[in-house]
Amino acid sequence: MTAYVVPAVVPSVAVAGEAARFPVRRIYCVGFNYAEHNREMGRDPQKDPPIFFSKPADALLADGEELPYPSRTANLHYEAELVVAIGAAGSRIDPAAAHQHVYGYAVGNDYTRRDLQSAAKEKGRPWDTAKGFDGSAGIGRIHPAAVVGHLRRGALWLTVNGAERQRGDLADMIWDVPGIIAELSTFFALRPGDLIYTGTPAGVGPVTPGDVVVAGIDGLGTLTHRIGAARAGA
Ligand code: MN
C-alpha cells in the first residue's frame, strides 16, 4: 500500500510478565456504574442505567508517564477504574460466556475535563472534548486472566499526593464485567484489542500541575501519573 502520510503506530499496553504488548483497537467506557458516584453527580441510578462512551485508542497514558494539564479546562478530574482487555471477538455475548472473551485486567484512570462534561450534559452535546483528549486514558500493565483469574470483587482506590480520594469495591458495580460485555456487545462487535473502562466509584475530584495521582486495584498493582504544566497548543 502506498500512503499519503506515515501511518500511525498501533497503540499498545504492556502486559505483566510478558515481553509482548497488547495492541489496542478501541477504547470503550462505562459511565455511572457505581451508585454512590451517580449520587455525587446528581443522578438517580434507579431511574437511569449506566451509559457507554468512547475514547480514541491513542489517548492511552502508561504508568509513570506525565499528563500535561490539558487545554480548554479549569477542572481536570481523575477517575480510578478497572479496565477489561478483550481477547476474543463476539457480538450479543451471553453474560454466562462473557469471561471467555476477556484477555486480562488493568488499573485505569479516566481523566476528564469535568467543566466541559458538565456543559455538554446541560446542552445535550457529545462528550468527546471532555473525555477524549490526549493522555486521557491512563492504563497500567495488563494482567492476564490466565494468571490473576476473573475479578469480581476487590478494593479500587486512588490517592492524590498521598491522600486517599477514592475507595470502592469492584463488587459494587451496577453492571458487573459480564453484564458490561453482554450489553456493549449488543451495540458493537467486540474484537481482540478492545479495552473497556468500567466506571469509577465515588470521590472524583480535581488535580492541578505538580500533583501525583496513584490509582490501585487489589491484585493489579498501581498506576501513577504526575500532572504536568499546561503546554502551548492543545
Ligand atoms: Mn469514567
Side-chain angles (χ1 to χ4, degrees):
M1 180 192 80
T2 302
Y4 286 102
V5 296
V6 178
V9 173
V10 174
S12 64
V13 180
V15 177
E18 305 276 349
R21 294 174 65 85
F22 183 89
V24 175
R25 173 182 178 260
R26 293 185 182 175
I27 302 177
Y28 296 109
C29 306
V30 181
F32 308 116
N33 202 24
Y34 289 79
E36 276 304 312
H37 175 61
N38 273 263
R39 289 190 268 274
E40 76 178 348
M41 300 303 279
R43 195 171 182 276
D44 181 355
Q46 304 295 329
K47 279 199 261 177
D48 286 315
I51 54 131
F52 293 113
F53 61 95
S54 61
K55 292 178 186 259
D58 65 358
L60 291 168
L61 187 74
D63 184 35
E65 289 192 293
E66 183 174 279
L67 176 62
Y69 197 89
S71 62
R72 303 293 296 267
T73 186
N75 197 17
L76 174 66
H77 274 209
Y78 54 78
E79 297 188 356
E81 309 202 1
L82 173 70
V83 180
V84 178
I86 296 294
S91 296
R92 298 183 189 184
I93 295 166
D94 189 311
H99 279 148
Q100 296 166 27
H101 296 264
V102 175
Y103 171 73
Y105 300 92
V107 181
N109 197 331
D110 167 19
Y111 288 105
T112 302
R113 286 166 164 145
R114 191 71 72 201
D115 41 4
L116 297 198
Q117 187 199 29
S118 301
K121 282 185 199 167
E122 200 172 297
K123 296 180 189 243
R125 290 176 179 165
W127 288 11
D128 302 58
T129 58
K131 289 290 197 177
F133 54 91
D134 288 349
S136 62
I139 188 152
R141 287 185 304 166
I142 294 172
H143 294 256
V147 177
V148 298
H150 290 286
L151 278 62
R152 296 174 175 84
R153 61 190 66 77
L156 163 64
W157 51 268
L158 181 140
T159 64
V160 178
N161 302 328
E164 189 171 286
R165 299 291 176 80
Q166 289 189 284
R167 179 164 289 275
D169 195 291
L170 301 179
D172 293 331
M173 288 184 190
I174 295 170
W175 288 345
D176 62 9
V177 169
I180 291 167
I181 290 171
E183 182 72 8
L184 183 61
S185 69
T186 67
F187 290 102
F188 305 102
L190 300 184
R191 301 282 178 207
D194 291 343
L195 298 177
I196 309 171
Y197 284 63
T198 59
T200 198
V204 299
V207 284
T208 53
D211 285 347
V212 175
V213 186
V214 182
I217 296 176
D218 283 355
L220 301 182
T222 59
L223 170 63
T224 302
H225 300 120
R226 185 179 177 281
I227 310 302
R231 281 201 294 228

